[in-house]
Amino acid sequence: MTIRLRVNDANGLKAEDRRSVGLRHDPDLLPGYPKSVNRADGDAAPTYADLEGKHELDLIVPNGNGDVNAWRPDGTEVPGFPVHTAMLKQLDPLNPENYRARAYRNASLANVRDPLSGGAAVGDLFHNGELEIVATTTNGQVYVWDSHGHLLPGFPVGQDPANWQPFTAVPTPRAATGHSRNPDRGNWSPPVLADLEGTGQLDIVMTAFDGFVYAFRPDGTAVPGWPVEIELPASYFTDHGGTVDPGSYIRDPKLMYPVTVADVLGLGHPQVFVPSFESNGQGSSTEDLATALLGFNPSNDAAATWLYGLYADGNDHAGGPYIHPPDGTWPVTVQSASFTYDQSIDFVGESTSPPVIADFGSGPRIITGPITGGVYSINPDGSIERRFDFSCPSAECSSLPPYRTGDTHTLVLTGTGGLGDLYGTGTPAFIMNNTGVESITASLDVPGVANLPQVYEKAWDPRNGQVLPGWPKRVDGFPFYSSPITADVAGLGLGRSAIEGNDTYFIHAFQATGLEAPGFPKYTGQWQAFAGVVADPLMNGQLAYATPTREGFVFTWKVAGDTALNDSWWHYRHDEHNTGTYGVDTRRPASILDLRVVRGPQPQLVWTAPGDDYMVGAADRYDARWSNQPITSSSFWSATPLAGAPAPQPAGSQQSMAVGGVSGSTVYFAIRTLDMEGNVSALSNVAW
């Protein structure tokens, strides 16, 4: 509804204000939610993680005030949180917060912190069973806190000023070609965690607005060979035998999207994939549009941007950082059906989507969709495997005069993609928001026609590029920066749902059949960005869906569904490391909480088995140790290993092992549990 306020003063002057208010009662909204984060912009994807090692997943939410909250399932803050970034006035003496203007005498204006964006990554950086929280700021800084809220030594770190500071001169230096941009300080994407060096530890990868991809070790030092600059090689230009006209080329160095990491080449280290915001500066012709819609490659004159593939050792790789023969040829030219750089909406109308990676049965494939284009499946060597079907075959695409024209085909516009095993067959579908070709054309190009562009949630089978039966589904708004996640939120035994919000404040969850899951759509009355997250906060089988809004509130609902099916694409960029790669296991086993000693002629250790992912499934192995001193998280690794631990049984099973080979008047015991991926649980309780 709309509230209207009119005011008349004694002099006859009139004022009027209006505000739209959405009222909705949802019995599934958890107590204490929505939570306000002091009106902070919630442009950051949330995550759940077991920070305290006590069979509870804490909700971690960075925000635009420079804070990271970590809430327990009961809504209270984890001790040591929230944590904070530095104040802007501390970053640069030329920041306006240091000016002597009267406005900045106000503490609320002068003490503004470096905003956090994109979302956090959570992982065991040092591979010692302790979790760290990594977050990036809009000023291109990386922060790392431990699970107690302590900032790690060596952080924050960030962009190299030499890559952007020379371009801050006044007057601003001109870019080399028309419509190009200069390097800048900044970041808008979440950090990504990956073991680039093969040390067993997780490095931190960040994209930045200066056109460089940065990589830092857990101690804050740069990974050798990084940062790597993303810029089109000379061989791609016409004056070097390529197809790109140097006079039309648009060089926008900013890297807004996160990288994707996966070892698609089988080299033993992951490759790093990142979309650039460069463009060949062309607009595709009507003929190119028709060619693309029919599934064929447009001409070399069509609009294009590029997707880059990098080696794990960056600039230190022989022959350069970009994947090159015999491994392949990158960057890959990604052609569009209309344009790849629209300066009317910076950030949104540019580039190609951050890729997602999975093996669909014939080796890994890299999937991306350029602005106003279709979806590509790319082979590891950089060759194009196929374009996905542009058609809009479902009943949802039909016309309804005079309100909508109907659509026969769709294009990528504002959203990004995700993967998910909707049917439970073991093969994920690719899901991405698209816009109808006819309806967007009519809304923009037909004078006098008040037509709305139609927006669709679309799902394909990546093995053949065909649209899944019952898809696409028409939705009521555009997502910006967002991508779908997939989880069972219906509880009907019918597979998983694709879940995504949009700019009209609704969050839809479409089942494999295309039907909306019970209890959806959800309504926030506020705009969501990036994506929400699904988890089992109490590890008791009751799932929850959480998402922040750009107005500074965090919503969390209980949802139906099987916790065992929450293993597909439950998180923005798939997982807590933000890898963008399907099948990566980043969730550690739950800790053992009831370890005890049963005394007798043959003493026994007895406990309840945790799972592979928290309390789901069966773990891979136990690491049991003993000491004559109390065992702590840090001293566990120097305690003496205890032989004879059994193979883990399914979560909830009772297990035991004989105790032998120990000595001393007082003996302490503790166990950590590991899964097949090598994820290490928090320390068990200590028994003696």
Side-chain angles (χ1 to χ4, degrees), residues 264 358-365 377 379-380 385-386 427 462-464:
V264 301
D359 185 340
F360 303 101
S362 56
R365 297 293 184 269
S377 176
N379 294 307
E385 181 189 40
R386 65 173 54 91
T427 300
R463 296 172 297 183
N464 54 30

Side-chain angles (χ1 to χ4, degrees), residues 280-317:
N280 65 357
Q282 303 295 328
S284 298
S285 65
T286 302
E287 181 180 352
D288 281 326
L289 172 60
T291 300
L293 295 180
L294 291 172
F296 300 103
N297 291 327
S299 69
N300 288 333
D301 295 328
T305 186
W306 291 275
L307 180 66
Y308 288 71
L310 314 175
Y311 291 106
D313 50 354
N315 297 311
D316 288 351
H317 194 86

Side-chain angles (χ1 to χ4, degrees), residues 596-606 665-667 669 687-688:
R596 64 190 188 278
V597 178
V598 178
R599 291 173 171 79
Q602 178 62 65
Q604 299 272 322
L605 288 179
V606 179
S665 57
T666 304
V667 179
F669 300 93
W688 66 91

Side-chain angles (χ1 to χ4, degrees), residues 595-599 603-606 623-633 635-643 657 659-672 683-688:
L595 182 66
R596 64 190 188 278
V597 178
V598 178
R599 291 173 171 79
Q604 299 272 322
L605 288 179
V606 179
D623 187 341
R625 301 197 177 213
W626 69 274
S627 174
N628 295 129
Q629 302 296 323
I631 298 175
T632 65
S633 291
S635 69
F636 173 84
W637 301 106
S638 60
T640 304
L642 189 63
M657 65 178 290
V659 174
V662 301
S663 60
S665 57
T666 304
V667 179
Y668 299 88
F669 300 93
I671 298 176
R672 288 190 188 268
L683 187 68
S684 70
N685 65 297
V686 179
W688 66 91

Side-chain angles (χ1 to χ4, degrees), residues 41 49 93 151 221 258 278 329 337 341 406 418 468 496 529 577 614 642 650 688:
D41 190 349
L151 186 67
T221 59
E278 302 163 293
T329 302
Y341 198 86
L468 293 180
R496 300 174 180 86
H577 296 177
Y614 308 129
L642 189 63
W688 66 91

Side-chain angles (χ1 to χ4, degrees), residues 229-243:
E229 186 172 19
I230 302 301
E231 185 171 13
L232 198 64
S235 61
Y236 283 64
F237 293 96
T238 53
D239 52 2
H240 287 75
T243 61

Side-chain angles (χ1 to χ4, degrees), residues 51 78-84 133 144-152:
L51 294 181
V78 172
F81 290 84
V83 292
H84 315 282
I133 298 172
V144 181
W145 295 275
D146 67 19
S147 58
H148 305 288
H150 302 130
L151 186 67
L152 263 60

